[in-house]
Every structure is written in C-alpha cells, then in structure tokens.
Amino acid sequence: MANVQNVLIPDIGGAEDVDVIEILIKAGDEVAVEDSIITLESEKATMEVPSPYAGKIKKVSVKVGDKVSEGSLMCTMEVKGEVVEAKEVEQPVEKAPEKSAAKPTAAAAQMSQPLGGPVYAGPGVRRLAHELSVDLSRVPGTGPKGRIIKQDLYQFVKSAMASGGGSGLAVAAAPKVDFKKFGEIEITPLNKIKRFTAANVHRSWVTAPQVTQFSEADTTDLEAFRQKHKQEAIDQGFKLTPLVFIMKAVVAGLKKFPMFNSSLDATGQNLIMKKYFNIGIAVDTAEGLVVPVIRNVDKKRIYAIAKELGEISQKARDKKLTPVDMSGGCMTISSLGGIGGTAFTPIVNTPEVAILGVSRAKIQAVFVDGEFQPRLMLPLSLTYDHRVIDGADGARFATYVSECLSDIRTLVL
Ligand code: CAO
C-alpha cells in the first residue's frame, strides 16, 4: 500500500508567518531527499526548504504568497521506502557577515560563495550541477529573483571551458543587470579599438601575474635642460617633452637589465631575449588607446625621437597608424604626466614583460646636503610580469631608471 505522508514546514529557526515566494514542485513530480520543494523569504533571509523524503508529489498545499510557520502543511507525498526524520532547514547565508558569523553553517557556506548570498535552484538544476560537479554558489542566476536556471549552468560550464577548464581560473559569467530599472540609459557599442584594447588588457590581466613598483626621479636638472632647449625644438616644428628623456632612460634600463627586454615563448619554458630597443608609447586618441612603436631608440638622438614621437602621435590621432607602426615593441611607456595624477598601475602590454607608467612631476621639499630644497619629483610606476621578473630586479630597474633621469649625463652617453 502506498505510504502517503504529509510534508510539513520544519524548524525554520523560530521564524513565523514567513512568505512563500516560490513553489519548486508540482503534483506528479518525483523528488529525492534534500531536493528543494519551496522557497521562503523572511525579513532577514531567503531559504529553500528541502524534501525530507524521496517520492512522488501527490498534492501541493501551499501557493506563492501564503504565509507559513513551523508545522504548516507544504504538500503530500507518496513516499518511497522507509520514512526518515525530517532535517532542520539549513539556514541560508545572510548578506551581512556579522550576522552569518553567529551561524557556523552559514558562515562556512559564505566562504565558498564568491557571488555572495544564498543559492536558489530547483531540483533539476541541482541534480545537473551535481552531475557536472559544478559548485552552484559560483553560478550567477538569471531566473526570477536570481534563481539559477539550467541555461545559467550551461553558460557557466561554457565560460569555464573557454577560460581554462579545470585550471581553477574559471570566471563566473557577469550577472545580467537590467539597468533600465534604475533610470534612463543609452546603449553605445564599443568601437574596434576599444574592443581590441579590452581583449588585450584582459588577456594580460588573466595570464600574467603583475606587480607594480613605484619610484620617484628627481628631474630638476632634466627640466632645466629641457626648458633651455624647448624653444629650439618648437622652432624645428616639434615639442620636447619629458617623455623623450624617459624613453632614453628606459632604454638604458633595458640595456642594464636585459631580462626586461624579453618575452616568454609560446611554451612558457624559454625567454626570447631581444637585442633591439623599440619603445611603445600609449597614445590617447578620441577612438581609444593605441600603442605605436618607436624603433631603435638607442640609436636615435633626443631631437630625432621628439620629432618622431610628435609625428607618430599625430598619425595615431588621425587614425592613420598601420599594424606595422604598432608592432615590434620591447617595452611600453604610458605617460599620463600631461594630464595629472600621482601614480597608477598600468597593465603590461604582453608579450612584453614590463610597462612604465609616468605621472605628473611636482615640486617637493627634498632633504639634500643637510637642507630641504625644492626639487621636481617625477612619479614612476613600473609594472612587470612576475613570471619573468623578480621583485628585487623590479626595484633595481625602477631605481636605475630614476637615477638616469636624475642625472641626465647618463642619458647623453
Ligand atoms: N610631469 C609634468 N608635466 C608633464 C609630464 C610629466 N610627467 N609629462 C608631460 N608633461 C607636460 C609636457 O611637458 C607638456 O607641457 P609643455 O608643453 O609645457 O612642455 C604637457 O604636459 C603636455 O604634454 P603631452 O601630453 O602633449 O606630451 P607627452 O610627450 O608628455 O605625451 C603622449 C605624448 C602621446 C604620450 C600623450 O599625449 C598621451 O596621449 N598620453 C596619454 C597616454 C595614455 O592614455 N595612457 C594610458 C594608457 S592606459 O594604461
């Protein structure tokens, strides 16, 4: 004879008159022990109530909007096998960490929930997640009230496979947000340059562990020298900015620390050491960021580099750069000195292994020869690929470049 059982709301931590916000089963459904059957929402949290039995649902006795407490009838079920005692409902994770901390189970769950918050998913999705060994707490739900639907699970697995599968680096798909709900919006498609930049910086960000080393160069003498020759350069039709000297200083650094003038080969087992000195310059254009390359900087004089820098950045802003203009770089410089800011963390333009960020120079009181003196200090931010460059070498390179800029005689040599 069929063993029909009433399935009651178990102990829900003393909460009363809790709203039923979702019914996850219907008459005729087969459920396993622990499959979620309804979702409740109290003022503090949302929780799924699992089935205490395995069997077939005969009748659902609640509907969305009902208020229930411990002992309320949820459904009747034709139970398979022996009836086992109903378990207490595992309390869901609450958003505020201090509240979760009072409940050990929930606190532990929170640690494994990078997306934050409880997991809402029906029995079918949970079963599928189990079969695919997917931790549902990592899957963003796009169903009603953030519920995880099968499509979310497939999307998650697809992204995980595309980004390295079992490497542990799988990135959860971004949650879909309906921004219209919060105010007026407008959709602007990204142009080709921005999409290209996005792909490149993303690849660099996820493949190269990067460290940024900050330093300062005393450019007081360099600036005096630059001011002396500035007009001469203008008369010849170009600008003499600090960047040209910084390019020379970087080349001096590449010569002294050849590791910075390298790239990892495709296997990641060998370094390709470059014997040429081409410097990429990040140029801000109306269309986005482009990085033309100035070749053989070591062989060119300061004025020649300044002229070429003016020409190539104009070419970039006129959208006339060719792929050849943007290839062959050894290391990139990203100068925001003409704009402002004190420091930033540029992203390495892989397969290069380092990038130098330049911020705005500023007069500071520096203690020199027993007294404070006004000195023009230039902030430098060197980001390097830590797979290739150690922290000590990063600091040595940054210090050396700063020294070169502080004593321009080293640049002229
Ligand atoms: N500190 C103080 N002043 C600085 C400076 C610095 N670090 N760098 C430049 N300046 C001054 C210049 O001397 C110039 O002033 P003067 O005309 O009085 O000499 C003024 O700022 C403007 O310089 P500039 O920006 O036109 O020229 P530049 O050679 O320094 O830079 C270029 C050229 C193409 C790099 C720059 O125009 C540019 O596009 N920068 C943005 C790069 C960018 O977007 N990087 C972010 C990439 S994301 O990682």
Side-chain angles (χ1 to χ4, degrees):
M1 206 177 85
N3 178 6
V4 177
Q5 291 285 333
N6 285 336
V7 184
L8 309 180
I9 298 280
D11 176 2
I12 45 175
E16 297 207 330
D17 293 333
V18 179
D19 290 324
V20 176
I21 60 161
E22 207 171 11
I23 310 288
L24 307 171
I25 38 119
K26 58 182 184 319
D29 278 358
E30 293 279 351
V31 295
V33 177
E34 295 290 314
D35 277 355
S36 301
I37 50 181
I38 65 171
T39 309
L40 306 178
E41 189 173 64
S42 73
E43 273 172 16
K44 286 204 261 174
T46 307
M47 63 196 100
E48 292 191 358
V49 181
S51 172
Y53 316 119
K56 190 177 189 175
I57 305 292
K58 277 191 75 73
K59 187 178 168 209
V60 181
S61 309
V62 281
K63 57 183 187 316
V64 171
D66 282 357
K67 291 197 184 294
V68 294
S69 308
E70 183 179 351
S72 305
L73 179 66
M74 288 192 283
C75 60
T76 48
M77 193 189 280
E78 202 174 297
V79 176
K80 280 186 194 154
E82 264 183 51
V83 173
V84 286
E85 274 300 297
K87 277 194 199 165
E88 209 178 81
V89 176
E90 192 172 301
Q91 295 297 308
V93 181
E94 292 170 13
K95 307 271 183 204
E98 65 273 16
K99 285 183 184 164
S100 314
K103 295 171 180 156
T105 320
Q110 176 140 359
M111 277 189 262
S112 64
Q113 287 204 16
L115 293 173
V119 169
Y120 310 127
V125 171
R126 285 178 190 275
R127 231 178 343 255
L128 184 61
H130 181 71
E131 280 162 20
L132 297 171
S133 301
V134 171
D135 174 2
L136 275 180
S137 67
R138 294 169 56 95
V139 182
T142 61
K145 289 192 177 255
R147 187 170 188 75
I148 301 166
I149 55 175
K150 275 193 183 163
Q151 199 51 41
D152 298 329
L153 205 51
Y154 293 134
Q155 183 56 44
F156 179 82
V157 172
K158 219 165 119 190
S159 313
M161 297 200 43
S163 62
S167 65
L169 286 174
V171 178
K176 283 186 188 157
V177 178
D178 181 9
F179 297 101
K180 289 196 294 298
K181 280 201 313 206
F182 309 107
E184 195 188 343
I185 60 160
E186 184 189 318
I187 310 279
T188 308
L190 287 178
N191 66 27
K192 217 167 148 192
I193 290 181
K194 292 209 161 142
R195 277 185 277 137
F196 184 74
T197 303
N200 279 348
V201 293
H202 186 224
R203 188 192 51 228
S204 173
W205 187 261
V206 297
T207 56
Q210 307 187 22
V211 177
T212 301
Q213 167 73 52
F214 301 105
S215 65
E216 273 182 329
D218 182 340
T219 55
T220 316
D221 296 344
L222 188 155
E223 183 57 15
F225 181 82
R226 187 179 80 88
Q227 288 298 340
K228 212 165 132 192
H229 293 86
K230 202 171 139 181
Q231 190 54 47
E232 201 177 307
I234 292 170
D235 292 345
Q236 292 183 43
F238 52 86
K239 270 167 76 176
L240 186 62
T241 63
L243 184 54
V244 185
F245 299 92
I246 298 167
M247 289 167 72
K248 276 287 192 190
V250 164
V251 167
L254 292 177
K255 285 188 169 171
K256 194 167 172 71
F257 302 94
M259 197 73 99
F260 282 76
N261 197 6
S262 72
S263 285
L264 277 168
D265 74 359
T267 66
Q269 305 296 310
N270 303 295
L271 274 184
I272 298 160
M273 308 299 293
K274 297 161 207 167
K275 310 286 181 186
Y276 49 86
F277 299 90
N278 301 341
I279 302 295
I281 300 294
V283 178
D284 171 40
T285 75
E287 302 293 304
L289 178 69
V290 287
V291 186
V293 172
I294 299 193
R295 289 164 198 266
N296 304 315
V297 172
D298 57 318
K299 299 198 175 94
K300 292 176 179 161
R301 295 168 63 97
I302 295 276
Y303 275 180
I305 300 168
K307 188 164 180 291
E308 200 174 329
L309 177 65
E311 286 165 358
I312 202 121
S313 37
Q314 193 51 50
K315 201 170 168 187
R317 286 172 178 137
D318 292 343
K319 296 190 259 179
K320 290 195 177 136
L321 286 179
T322 64
V324 173
D325 291 328
M326 294 185 278
S327 60
C330 300
M331 183 169 158
T332 297
I333 300 176
S334 176
S335 173
L336 296 175
I339 301 171
T342 52
F344 64 109
T345 53
I347 296 175
V348 174
N349 187 14
T350 53
E352 296 169 16
V353 296
I355 182 169
L356 185 71
V358 181
S359 298
R360 193 164 191 80
K362 156 170 116 181
I363 300 274
Q364 290 180 36
V366 180
F367 205 63
V368 187
D369 298 333
E371 58 173 351
F372 279 107
Q373 292 182 18
R375 309 292 298 178
L376 184 66
M377 304 305 289
L378 177 74
L380 300 172
S381 310
L382 173 77
T383 301
Y384 54 86
D385 182 341
H386 209 347
R387 293 174 302 175
V388 177
I389 291 160
D390 295 335
D393 284 333
R396 283 186 194 109
F397 183 93
T399 304
Y400 183 68
V401 167
S402 299
E403 282 168 8
C404 289
L405 290 167
S406 302
D407 183 354
I408 52 164
R409 288 170 303 181
T410 50
L411 298 181
V412 181
L413 293 173

